[in-house]
Amino acid sequence: MKLHHAVSLLLLLHLWQNTALSISSTFCPPQCQCFSTTTIICSDLLMKALPVNIPTHATALIILASGLKKITAVENLKNLTKLLFLSNPVQNVSHNAFEGLTSLQELEISGSPLLALEAGTFNKLDKLSKLLLNNNKLMLLAPNLFDSLEKLEMLQLHGNMLQSLHKDLFCKLTNLQELNLSSNKLSTVQTSELSKLKTLDLGLNRITSLSLDTFNGNTQLKILSLQGNQINQIKPGIFTHLDNLEELNLRDNKIKVLSSGLFPSYLKKLTLRGNSLLQLSSSAFTSLHNLTYLDLSQNLLPFLPAELFQNLSSLEHLDLSENRLQELASTVFRGLLQINVIDLQKNNLTSLEADLFIDQGKMSLLSLAGNRLENLVYGLLEPLDFECLLQLSGNPWRCDCNLIYFHKWLEYSSNTVTDLSQVYCTEPQSLRGMSLTTVNKEQLVCFERSISETQHTINQATSSDSDRQCSLQEANGNIVVRCKFMKCIELKIDVSFHQEDGSVLNYTLTDPWPGSSQCSNGTIILTV
């Protein structure tokens, strides 16, 4: 048990002290608290051995944060169904420590420096269904340690120092439904160790490869976790016979490639987050008609095949965040009619096709945050439900005429953008840093790109061209008109802005000589 769990239990102990049922000290050991006639918690750093005179009718005994270094025979407690040793300095457990506990259903020894357990330690525990041995220092387990635990359903060995497992260690555990071997130092796993399991967790070990027959005997597996290892390759055929497998967790490994037909067809949840996937075959997920959850985040994918998700008709959650996606085919999400969430944040997307989300009318969350989007193409958001939440911050929005569609869409749907206060203009410079909520439609104008490429001379409308010379150029998002005059005149400039929808905005600019200035030869500058 982790330290914060122990602290929480201590706080609970303190609270219970004020409300505990009053029981005669004759029946409750002085180092313990008897919160009912059946539940006893003992916590005393000076306690070096199990308390004596524990009531024989007790069904739950918890030894918490004591000075106990060795667990010896627990006697005269035949009614005990739960026995927990949490955060004690236990180093040894006698082979006959639990011999008389014929009613015991749950046993936990966690958070201790326990190095080993003798063969026969759990003999005669015929009713035991839960055994938790987490966060100890266990390095090696006897081959027949668990042989007598035929009714065991849960076995947790999380956070130990196991480096290898005997091939017959779990072979008698025919009713085991949950096995947690995470945070150890395993380097390999033998096939026969995993017979008839329903849940297997090999997370946070150091497995680098899996042989083709690793799971041959485990046809009843429902949950398989290989999280946090160093697996760099999944061999074809290793999972295909696991017809009952519903959840497969391959998170935080080193997988680079997925071959076609790798996963069993009944799979519902597949996690590949935090691997090194560089590319995916268009048939990588072809047979997964029952898949509802797919996590491909934190990989290295620069693009996706257009047919990658075409058969995932049950998919509800798709996470593609934190990859290197630069573009998406317009049909990549076609047919995903049940999808609720698509997460595309923190990629390199610069544009999206107008019909990209045409089949996603049921979507409740779409994240496009943290990409390189400057605008949204006309019609992109129309297929989405009016209650679909959007995340759009962290993009370099260019607030010109190409953003008019999105700006108009916000007039009616701004409440669905969860991070709208963080959606800013980055261009042009005159609008940089402004929130889209404060930008007016009239400010969303486009200038000809050729202006910024070279300086152009303006054609003069009168015959007296020699009296003035004008030119224009774009500077920092502004159009600058420079005119040099040989005599005093009033300057008038007509400007037409051609917008994306075909309409034209006309402006007339005038700039007479300042009244306070004496008319003379010189230069005048107008900024549009």
Side-chain angles (χ1 to χ4, degrees):
M1 178 173 284
K2 294 182 179 178
L3 180 59
H4 69 272
H5 291 158
V7 172
S8 298
L9 196 52
L10 280 172
L11 292 173
L12 185 61
L13 173 64
H14 177 72
L15 292 174
W16 279 0
Q17 286 176 340
N18 298 322
T19 59
L21 180 66
S22 177
I23 298 177
S24 171
S25 60
T26 304
F27 299 101
C28 192
Q31 301 155 313
C32 307
Q33 295 289 330
C34 299
F35 298 106
S36 71
T37 57
T38 58
T39 300
I40 301 171
I41 298 180
C42 302
S43 180
D44 190 335
L45 291 174
L46 299 178
M47 187 174 67
K48 306 298 182 182
L50 288 176
V52 296
N53 300 326
I54 295 176
T56 57
H57 51 265
T59 59
L61 174 61
I62 302 172
I63 309 299
L64 170 66
S66 72
L68 188 67
K69 292 185 177 181
K70 183 174 183 179
I71 301 175
T72 55
V74 182
E75 300 176 345
N76 302 319
L77 293 176
K78 293 184 178 181
N79 294 312
L80 210 61
T81 60
K82 178 186 289 188
L83 177 58
L84 310 182
F85 295 90
L86 308 176
S87 300
N88 298 287
V90 174
Q91 299 177 8
N92 296 289
V93 178
S94 299
H95 70 281
N96 63 341
F98 314 117
E99 199 169 73
L101 305 181
T102 54
S103 299
L104 200 63
Q105 298 175 20
E106 180 177 349
L107 173 62
E108 179 169 3
I109 307 172
S110 295
S112 73
L114 183 64
L115 294 172
L117 289 167
E118 296 183 37
T121 299
F122 306 119
N123 285 356
K124 300 183 180 181
L125 297 181
D126 300 333
K127 297 182 179 180
L128 198 69
S129 61
K130 295 182 180 180
L131 177 59
L132 291 77
L133 300 168
N134 297 325
N135 300 307
N136 296 299
K137 303 293 183 182
L138 294 171
M139 300 180 65
L140 187 64
L141 301 175
N144 57 350
L145 181 63
F146 306 123
D147 282 4
S148 63
L149 306 179
E150 295 182 2
K151 292 188 177 181
L152 198 67
E153 297 178 356
M154 175 190 292
L155 175 59
Q156 294 188 4
L157 291 159
H158 170 88
N160 283 281
M161 301 177 68
L162 298 171
Q163 298 186 31
S164 63
L165 303 173
H166 191 275
K167 63 183 181 65
D168 296 324
L169 184 60
F170 307 129
C171 66
K172 299 289 183 68
L173 303 181
T174 55
N175 290 299
L176 196 63
Q177 297 181 25
E178 180 176 338
L179 174 61
N180 188 336
L181 293 167
S182 61
S183 298
N184 279 278
K185 297 182 179 181
L186 298 176
S187 57
T188 186
V189 179
Q190 299 295 328
T191 301
S192 58
E193 297 170 20
L194 309 171
S195 178
K196 299 183 181 179
L197 302 184
K198 291 186 178 179
T199 302
L200 174 64
D201 188 341
L202 296 174
L204 299 175
N205 292 291
R206 295 183 180 177
I207 299 173
T208 58
S209 63
L210 298 168
S211 63
L212 191 58
D213 60 349
T214 299
F215 307 111
N216 272 357
N218 315 128
T219 56
Q220 300 304 311
L221 268 176
K222 290 187 177 181
I223 302 174
L224 175 58
S225 177
L226 295 162
Q227 175 182 342
N229 288 286
Q230 301 292 317
I231 299 171
N232 52 38
Q233 182 182 12
I234 302 292
K235 298 179 180 179
I238 194 169
F239 302 131
T240 51
H241 66 287
L242 301 178
D243 294 332
N244 294 299
L245 194 64
E246 295 182 357
E247 296 186 20
L248 177 58
N249 187 349
L250 292 164
R251 175 176 175 169
D252 296 330
N253 280 281
K254 303 295 182 182
I255 302 169
K256 294 182 178 179
V257 179
L258 297 176
S259 59
S260 302
L262 188 62
F263 306 109
S265 59
Y266 287 96
L267 201 63
K268 293 182 178 179
K269 183 175 182 179
L270 176 59
T271 303
L272 289 158
R273 178 183 179 91
N275 278 276
S276 302
L277 292 171
L278 293 167
Q279 61 181 1
L280 292 171
S281 164
S282 60
S283 57
F285 310 122
T286 300
S287 62
L288 304 185
H289 306 289
N290 298 294
L291 197 69
T292 61
Y293 182 99
L294 177 58
D295 188 347
L296 291 165
S297 62
Q298 293 185 6
N299 278 280
L300 306 172
L301 297 169
F303 69 92
L304 301 174
E307 305 84 10
L308 182 62
F309 308 123
Q310 64 180 355
N311 292 317
L312 305 186
S313 55
S314 300
L315 196 63
E316 298 176 1
H317 187 113
L318 176 59
D319 193 343
L320 293 163
S321 62
E322 298 185 64
N323 276 278
R324 299 178 179 178
L325 298 175
Q326 300 176 16
E327 60 182 20
L328 294 170
S330 63
T331 59
V332 70
F333 301 135
R334 201 62 50 85
L336 300 184
L337 302 177
Q338 305 302 319
I339 201 77
N340 290 319
V341 176
I342 295 181
D343 193 343
L344 289 163
Q345 67 176 311
K346 296 184 179 179
N347 278 282
N348 295 323
L349 297 170
T350 57
S351 63
L352 301 172
E353 298 290 335
D355 56 348
L356 182 62
F357 303 117
I358 195 169
D359 286 342
Q360 281 66 66
K362 294 183 178 180
M363 194 152 55
S364 60
L365 175 63
L366 171 62
S367 180
L368 297 170
N371 280 278
R372 299 183 180 179
L373 298 171
E374 293 187 348
N375 58 66
L376 297 181
V377 66
Y378 183 84
L380 175 71
L381 304 176
E382 302 310 313
L384 303 182
D385 185 89
F386 68 93
E387 293 184 350
C388 178
L389 299 179
L390 292 178
Q391 296 175 347
L392 298 168
S393 62
N395 284 284
W397 299 108
R398 185 178 185 88
C399 295
D400 59 14
C401 64
N402 295 306
L403 204 67
I404 290 178
Y405 160 70
F406 179 40
H407 188 272
K408 186 175 182 179
W409 182 88
L410 283 176
E411 292 180 7
Y412 305 97
S413 306
S414 60
N415 60 317
T416 66
V417 182
T418 62
D419 53 0
L420 185 57
S421 63
Q422 302 173 51
V423 179
Y424 306 108
C425 300
T426 57
E427 294 290 340
Q429 186 179 21
S430 58
L431 300 179
R432 182 172 298 175
M434 288 184 61
S435 170
L436 258 63
T437 59
T438 61
V439 174
N440 296 321
K441 179 183 177 181
E442 290 72 19
Q443 295 176 283
L444 302 177
V445 294
C446 291
F447 304 115
E448 292 292 335
R449 290 288 180 227
S450 60
I451 293 175
S452 62
E453 296 174 2
T454 182
Q455 187 170 354
H456 297 266
T457 299
I458 299 178
N459 293 327
Q460 308 301 319
T462 68
S463 59
S464 57
D465 291 349
S466 59
D467 294 337
R468 59 192 179 279
Q469 295 179 357
C470 295
S471 64
L472 60 84
Q473 64 183 119
E474 184 183 29
N476 298 322
N478 299 314
I479 297 298
V480 177
V481 180
R482 296 176 179 272
C483 292
K484 184 175 182 180
F485 298 93
M486 301 306 296
K487 64 180 181 179
C488 300
I489 62 170
E490 180 177 305
L491 183 65
K492 178 180 179 182
I493 299 178
D494 292 316
V495 183
S496 296
F497 295 102
H498 296 268
Q499 302 188 95
E500 190 179 43
D501 59 3
S503 62
V504 178
L505 295 177
N506 295 308
Y507 293 91
T508 298
L509 306 176
T510 61
D511 194 358
W513 294 100
S516 59
S517 300
Q518 184 177 0
C519 178
S520 61
N521 297 347
T523 300
I524 188 170
I525 299 174
L526 295 180
T527 300
V528 182

